[in-house]
Amino acid sequence: MVSCSTKTEEKPDIVVDIKVSKQGYQPNEITVPYGKVVLFRITAVDEGIGNDYSERYYGHCFYILPPYDVMVENIKEGETKEIKVKMIYPGDFIFTCPYCSGIFPTKGTLHVVKR
Ligand SMILES: [Cu+2]
């Protein structure tokens, strides 16, 4: 399969733990080095948009906007989901929860810095 995704299966250089709730992301400002592989571990502290797991969407989400364009969906309350991303674009990027960012302040900034 050909993919231009920034998602990777490479070994992570750095681990970043993030909590998400209706209060937003904690931390909501994250700085990582350019060129490295970052393992993001996202824990949902509350039920987000809901805890009906028969629905298409529930819990919270972690979405880094393009050009990264990587998404972790449906993180249940109390659950931790992981994604590895190679930081191939320097600059500042928004991450958000598309499910609930219209209602709650679930938005943050990812700074990818060249050393
Ligand atoms: Cu959410």
Side-chain angles (χ1 to χ4, degrees):
M1 191 181 111
V2 178
S3 172
C4 59
S5 171
T6 53
K7 206 177 154 197
T8 179
E9 290 308 319
E10 287 179 54
K11 235 175 132 243
D13 300 297
I14 298 159
V15 178
V16 175
D17 287 302
I18 303 169
K19 287 186 164 51
V20 57
S21 73
K22 294 172 185 172
Q23 261 60 270
Y25 291 96
Q26 185 61 41
N28 61 10
E29 291 274 338
I30 298 166
T31 302
V32 296
Y34 167 76
K36 300 291 184 185
V37 174
V38 177
L39 170 64
F40 293 96
R41 293 195 297 213
I42 307 101
T43 301
V45 176
D46 59 29
E47 77 281 13
I49 54 160
N51 54 11
D52 182 349
Y53 304 137
S54 67
E55 294 284 327
R56 170 67 183 87
Y57 301 108
Y58 51 79
H60 283 285
C61 212
F62 177 72
Y63 177 49
I64 309 174
L65 269 61
Y68 280 98
D69 195 25
V70 289
M71 172 117 90
V72 182
E73 290 189 277
N74 293 353
I75 312 169
K76 298 175 185 176
E77 179 175 10
E79 183 183 34
T80 302
K81 282 192 173 181
E82 304 183 341
I83 190 168
K84 279 185 283 189
V85 184
K86 190 153 190 181
M87 299 291 117
I88 57 171
Y89 303 104
D92 299 332
F93 306 93
I94 301 290
F95 59 90
T96 185
C97 176
Y99 298 171
C100 72
S101 64
I103 319 163
F104 306 118
T106 41
K107 201 173 236 189
T109 308
L110 175 68
H111 306 280
V112 182
V113 296
K114 286 188 171 178
R115 299 254 151 117

